[in-house]
Amino acid sequence: MPHTQHEFANRTVNSCRGFHWIPSLQHSPCGPRTNVETHEGKYSANKASEVQKRSFGSAATQIQRNPAYSELTSDDVSYFKSILGDNGVVQDEDRIAVANVDWMGKYRGASQLLLLPKSTVEVSKILSYCNTRRLAVVPQGGNTGLVGGSVPVYDEVIVSLAGMDKIISFDNINGILTCEAGCVLENLSTFVENEGFIMPLDLGAKGSCHIGGNISTNAGGLRFIRYGSLHGNVLGLEAVLADGTILDMLTTLRKDNTGYDLKHLFIGSEGSLGVVTKIAVLTPAKLPSTNVAFLSCNDYTSCQKLLLAARRNLGEILSAFEFMDNHCIDLAMRHLEGVQNPLPASQTKFYILIETTGSDESYDKTKLEGFLLRSMEDGLVADGVIAQDISQASNFWRIREGISEASVKVGAVYKYDLSIPVEKLYDIVEEMRCRLGDNAEVLGYGHLGDGNLHLNILSSKYDDNRLAQIEPFVYEWTSAQRGSISAEHGLGLMKAEKIHYSKSPEAVQLMASIKKLLDPNSILNPYKVLPQSVL
Amino acid sequence: MKILVAVKRVVDYAVKVRVKPDRTGVETANVKMSMNPFCEIAVEEALRLREAGAAAEVVAATIGPAQSADTLRTALAMGADRAVHVLHDPDPARPLLPLAVAKILRAVALQEKPGLVILGKQAIDDDCNQTGQMLAGLLQWPQGTFASKVLLDKEKQKATVEREVDGGIETICLKLPAVITTDLRLNQPRYATLPNIMKAKSKVIKKVTPEDLNVDIRSDMEVIEVTEPPKRKAGVILSSVDELLDKLKNEARVL
């Protein structure tokens, strides 16, 4: 693959992401943060086009504010107030400050305005106006994205879907949920579970993330191995295009082969082709029997063989297969409250969490116990525990789901989300450990069942030297394995110039054509997803 | 010395309990059942005492239908040596109450002759908090309830128990044999490890009936109806002090 990234480096090196290291984080992973400290001063609308001092950024984030975008005026604000009411227009500094920073504290924008539409029609009016005025817009859900896709880069207007959080209807025969895009995933889960169904996806950020954001990023998560991708589970959606056109594709039909299936364009395009406002999603039946086991394995090869054996022997009841290394366990024990190490005496390097979900408690438990005991006899599993009640099961999951949260508490996290052939998955973790030595802590964990590695590199602070040791090596390595440089997190701002590592130039050109067709003024989530050079 | 631990199979602590539509009881079909959390703590304490050398054997006992054997298997998988299953099919209209349970456990204790009986302080389904106390009374043994710490002196055949009481912590000394009931802070129960689950498969579960033990468990109490508590009315957010005064005066009539 051509390393065209270096061509971008030749452009004028000025602007950069303002970065702010938060010294001690006391927030829960899913809540807004206050008291964000800044090294630079605050930005006003007038200074939005000024060059920002470079304190952090990868070699490719040298994007200037595009002068084609207009700057916000008081007339604009008055117009928004006239269509949204005073409550729908937020200029309060504290609230905007929170919406300007991403969950990891890595990306900060300089937006002056946060809008809270309460209906699709309001979203349509906002976008139609912004398109005419050439005001750039960032659609925002729960703001839990990990690639800087949910916060402004400069002074884009933030359109938050948080005010559109109604459940519209639920078909409890077929398990089809219709709701607005601003519903929090955990709330939807609680609702459908009450009806005897479950959401087809589950992730650590469930307490804050919005279903609209999940769909816009084609979120994967912990249940992917059993229920598959959102491309399969989303039956229909309603989106608003950049010029305000409302595209109603909100069907609840399981099968509909009439024409080109446009909803797939909006699933995973990270808000760059349209703003998702309503969704219809298929919810699987809630099965009564869940069993969770936490296992230790001596080496990575055993983990792979265990995955193969689990697919064969647990088959239809397997619902999660996650792996983590001993560094992750240590980190979780150090930084998470209320967790107990399930295998305190274990000295092994690899840990696996297996979950089964089925309709018959005793049958499933017998099957799981039998499988694990055989695996132990075959040497695939060194030791393990099976949860005897829901609290124990939650404890196991807390460890796996809390790794991200624990990482952020150390200081700086360089996060990489890679799809790699399973046999080679752990190799990159060991390579990075070699490269970085004592300068950083390297964690490897993820959805082994999906071939998806989460590589977290922890350091006390963000620093360009550290970054240079990591990038572009990680991307090049992944590209050489024909893997994906973003398995589920998306490209956002972080990887906006990196798509060539995983997609051919022809494909990227076609994506650019589609973007220009649907958003000719490029007002939706600018500077992200696709490289500037093709737009 | 032998330790007898009584365990109970209850609706899992994390499950949202619902009342059956016919109001005869609580929904238990297709609902996750687990060992009562206080009973887990009791098993853990017994295992720790055995590991410290104060006891030679830990015997788990339960009273219930065939499915209750799962709870005994959990106790065995944690490390108990043997188990006793007193078979009893529950009748929702006449559930097994603490007095009956205590009579059965007394019979089991007289057969097994343990130096210590450990139970959870209460079951999370009925919250009775009576079985341990009644058992001690029936056996005429001393009791240390709500234990947050247990120290066993094997030579002197005494147990020193710190109890969580309303006024603080009370420390008492019991002559063995005795009955102890566990409170939340006594210990953190261990997980069932695969090697122990494997060993548990060959451990013995003795099955008996209340008739075998010569215990009459006829109950004088009959459950007539089980209903949910009345729904709480939603709170009202007021927008001014005047509105508050008006409500206090005219609706609540407290001014």
Side-chain angles (χ1 to χ4, degrees):
Chain A
M1 291 243 164
H3 296 301
T4 50
Q5 186 215 347
H6 297 300
E7 291 170 78
F8 302 138
N10 291 331
R11 298 194 306 170
T12 46
V13 179
N14 290 311
S15 79
C16 177
R17 303 299 324 101
F19 162 69
H20 312 275
W21 172 47
I22 287 96
S24 64
L25 295 166
Q26 267 131 17
H27 64 101
S28 77
C30 309
R33 224 178 341 220
T34 53
N35 304 324
V36 175
E37 293 184 297
T38 68
H39 295 308
E40 287 86 11
K42 284 187 343 159
Y43 307 117
S44 71
N46 299 331
K47 291 188 177 160
S49 54
E50 237 179 46
V51 158
Q52 295 162 29
K53 180 169 157 280
R54 177 182 175 135
S55 55
F56 159 75
S58 76
T61 50
Q62 293 151 27
I63 305 160
Q64 293 256 41
R65 183 188 183 282
N66 188 336
Y69 297 128
S70 307
E71 287 181 13
L72 200 63
T73 65
S74 51
D75 286 342
D76 296 326
V77 178
S78 308
Y79 176 75
F80 291 131
K81 281 191 177 157
S82 74
I83 52 165
L84 302 176
D86 281 343
N87 284 336
V89 176
V90 177
Q91 292 180 285
D92 171 65
E93 281 170 7
D94 291 330
R95 283 175 75 184
I96 297 202
V98 169
N100 263 316
V101 196
D102 77 321
W103 181 75
M104 288 176 48
K106 206 172 160 198
Y107 298 98
R108 169 180 260 263
S111 174
Q112 302 286 299
L113 190 65
L114 170 69
L115 299 178
L116 285 162
K118 288 201 102 48
S119 70
T120 306
V121 168
E122 286 182 4
V123 175
S124 167
K125 287 182 178 163
I126 293 172
L127 291 185
S128 166
Y129 181 81
C130 289
N131 191 35
T132 321
R133 273 278 292 137
R134 268 206 133 112
L135 287 166
V137 157
V138 170
Q140 190 176 85
N143 196 8
T144 56
L146 299 170
V147 287
S150 54
V151 291
V153 179
Y154 286 103
D155 60 338
E156 300 90 280
V157 173
I158 302 172
V159 177
S160 167
L161 277 291
M164 294 177 61
D165 60 356
K166 279 182 266 318
I167 292 174
I168 297 170
S169 69
F170 185 69
D171 169 354
N172 61 6
I173 309 282
N174 295 305
I176 299 174
L177 172 72
T178 311
C179 65
E180 292 184 321
C183 293
V184 173
L185 182 62
E186 195 165 45
N187 294 343
L188 293 177
S189 286
T190 310
F191 173 80
V192 302
E193 277 168 30
N194 228 12
E195 303 281 335
F197 294 84
I198 57 167
M199 291 300 286
L201 80 164
D202 187 24
L203 42 153
K206 62 191 130 193
S208 296
C209 61
H210 292 184
I211 189 68
N214 290 146
I215 282 166
S216 300
T217 53
N218 191 25
L222 306 160
R223 293 187 181 144
F224 189 94
I225 192 175
R226 172 79 168 249
Y227 302 110
S229 152
L230 281 174
H231 281 288
N233 290 308
V234 171
L235 300 178
L237 54 84
E238 177 196 72
V240 181
L241 300 179
D243 64 1
T245 307
I246 299 175
L247 206 59
D248 180 0
M249 302 175 295
L250 195 65
T251 168
T252 54
L253 302 171
R254 289 299 305 274
K255 296 164 117 176
D256 179 13
N257 280 350
T258 51
Y260 307 150
D261 201 349
L262 295 175
K263 64 175 185 282
H264 293 295
L265 277 179
F266 299 95
I267 302 174
S269 56
E270 304 180 54
S272 63
L273 296 179
V275 176
V276 174
T277 46
K278 294 199 181 84
I279 60 121
V281 67
L282 188 63
T283 58
K286 180 173 166 63
L287 298 173
S289 146
T290 306
N291 283 299
V292 185
F294 203 89
L295 315 163
S296 67
C297 298
N298 285 319
D299 51 42
Y300 185 67
T301 318
S302 309
C303 296
Q304 288 178 68
K305 290 185 181 160
L306 192 65
L307 173 60
L308 196 59
R311 282 225 168 92
R312 216 149 264 157
N313 295 304
L314 295 176
E316 71 283 5
I317 61 169
L318 184 65
S319 58
F321 195 100
E322 299 286 313
F323 99 102
M324 56 211 104
D325 62 20
N326 55 327
H327 295 257
C328 299
I329 309 284
D330 290 339
L331 188 79
M333 292 307 132
R334 280 201 316 262
H335 293 286
L336 295 176
E337 281 165 29
V339 285
Q340 209 190 343
N341 189 343
L343 294 165
S346 174
Q347 306 281 354
T348 58
K349 280 178 69 181
F350 297 96
Y351 296 84
I352 303 275
L353 185 155
I354 292 183
E355 181 189 74
T356 65
T357 307
S359 45
D360 186 329
E361 173 89 47
S362 49
Y363 170 75
D364 289 355
K365 196 152 193 188
T366 314
K367 203 163 163 166
L368 179 65
E369 275 180 15
F371 165 69
L372 291 176
L373 292 175
R374 274 196 311 276
S375 303
M376 237 179 112
E377 280 162 23
D378 294 343
L380 296 179
V381 171
D383 198 0
V385 291
I386 301 182
Q388 298 296 313
D389 57 40
I390 299 180
S391 303
Q392 292 186 358
S394 302
N395 187 42
F396 296 169
W397 272 117
R398 177 88 185 95
I399 296 171
R400 165 62 186 89
E401 289 182 303
I403 296 174
S404 225
E405 181 191 340
S407 302
V408 171
K409 291 192 179 165
V410 170
V413 189
Y414 294 95
K415 233 182 219 297
Y416 298 92
D417 162 48
L418 313 164
S419 266
I420 301 169
V422 175
E423 325 79 72
K424 297 214 161 356
L425 204 119
Y426 203 68
D427 292 351
I428 182 66
V429 183
E430 318 233 85
E431 286 240 28
M432 293 315 296
R433 268 192 200 127
C434 272
R435 272 177 87 87
L436 295 166
D438 288 330
N439 294 327
E441 199 178 343
V442 180
L443 309 177
Y445 64 102
H447 316 290
L448 188 60
D450 312 329
N452 181 191
L453 173 74
H454 288 315
L455 174 69
N456 277 12
I457 296 169
L458 313 183
S459 182
S460 55
K461 57 181 169 66
Y462 288 110
D463 125 19
D464 284 348
N465 291 330
R466 190 79 63 246
L467 184 62
Q469 286 178 295
I470 302 171
E471 292 183 27
F473 178 76
V474 168
Y475 297 137
E476 288 171 358
W477 192 94
T478 305
S479 193
Q481 310 300 329
R482 294 186 65 90
S484 167
I485 55 152
S486 187
E488 51 181 13
H489 293 168
L491 297 170
L493 179 66
M494 179 182 172
K495 303 179 206 178
E497 303 289 327
K498 309 277 194 296
I499 193 173
H500 63 273
Y501 284 109
S502 295
K503 286 285 187 310
S504 72
E506 296 78 18
V508 180
Q509 275 304 331
L510 185 56
M511 290 183 210
S513 304
I514 294 171
K515 167 73 172 172
K516 286 178 201 155
L517 178 69
L518 292 177
D519 183 15
N521 291 328
S522 211
I523 60 162
L524 292 174
N525 228 2
Y527 315 113
K528 298 169 188 156
V529 185
L530 298 178
Q532 295 297 296
S533 59
V534 298
L535 292 171
Chain B
M1 184 184 81
K2 203 187 296 187
I3 302 182
L4 178 66
V5 182
V7 297
K8 187 179 181 186
R9 179 175 184 257
V10 296
V11 174
D12 190 296
Y13 156 73
V15 166
K16 188 155 191 254
V17 162
R18 277 181 227 242
V19 175
K20 283 202 283 213
D22 61 7
R23 301 214 293 244
T24 55
V26 151
E27 189 68 73
T28 53
N30 273 334
V31 159
K32 172 100 180 139
M33 307 288 280
S34 311
M35 189 190 291
N36 183 36
F38 295 105
C39 300
E40 272 183 16
I41 296 173
V43 173
E44 175 66 25
E45 195 59 25
L47 295 173
R48 288 187 189 189
L49 289 169
R50 187 192 65 194
E51 281 157 10
E57 196 185 21
V58 173
V59 181
T62 199
I63 302 150
Q67 299 96 303
S68 291
D70 289 341
T71 316
L72 289 176
R73 279 190 211 109
T74 300
L76 293 172
M78 283 171 73
D81 300 292
R82 289 184 283 118
V84 175
H85 185 176
V86 182
L87 287 155
H88 168 79
D89 280 315
D91 173 4
R94 289 188 183 272
L96 210 58
L97 294 173
L99 184 56
V101 172
K103 288 180 187 170
I104 295 175
L105 289 177
R106 172 181 175 272
V108 173
L110 291 174
Q111 271 189 4
E112 294 283 342
K113 303 192 186 16
L116 195 57
V117 180
I118 313 185
L119 302 91
K121 72 171 180 182
Q122 66 197 55
I124 60 169
D125 52 6
D126 54 29
D127 273 348
C128 283
N129 194 334
Q130 299 163 10
T131 311
Q133 292 89 332
M134 287 175 172
L135 177 62
L138 290 171
L139 286 168
Q140 306 233 299
W141 287 7
Q143 57 183 268
T145 53
F146 315 112
S148 62
K149 194 163 173 185
V150 173
L151 288 166
L152 214 59
D153 187 334
K154 213 166 110 173
E155 274 94 65
K156 296 204 192 121
Q157 285 289 290
K158 282 198 168 74
T160 308
V161 176
E162 284 183 21
R163 307 176 58 225
E164 289 189 10
V165 295
D166 288 344
I169 308 273
E170 180 189 55
T171 311
I172 56 173
C173 191
L174 311 170
K175 267 202 295 207
L176 301 183
V179 173
I180 291 180
T181 72
T182 64
D183 209 328
L184 205 56
R185 274 160 281 273
L186 177 57
N187 61 44
Q188 178 85 276
R190 66 193 62 185
Y191 290 107
T193 63
L194 289 177
N196 282 340
I197 292 175
M198 188 138 62
K199 283 186 213 150
K201 292 197 184 299
S202 52
K203 290 180 185 169
V204 172
I205 300 182
K206 185 168 83 171
K207 292 201 199 346
V208 294
T209 62
E211 293 73 45
D212 294 339
L213 298 169
N214 279 324
V215 177
D216 176 13
I217 53 163
R218 265 175 316 150
S219 167
D220 294 334
M221 288 174 65
E222 184 191 336
V223 173
I224 299 176
E225 189 189 51
V226 176
T227 55
E228 275 184 28
K231 291 227 176 326
R232 278 182 63 182
K233 282 208 307 208
V236 178
I237 296 181
L238 306 172
S239 53
S240 69
V241 176
D242 291 326
E243 206 183 332
L244 174 64
L245 285 174
D246 175 58
K247 290 223 183 253
L248 287 175
K249 209 173 193 183
N250 300 321
E251 274 185 40
R253 293 185 200 281
V254 293
L255 289 181

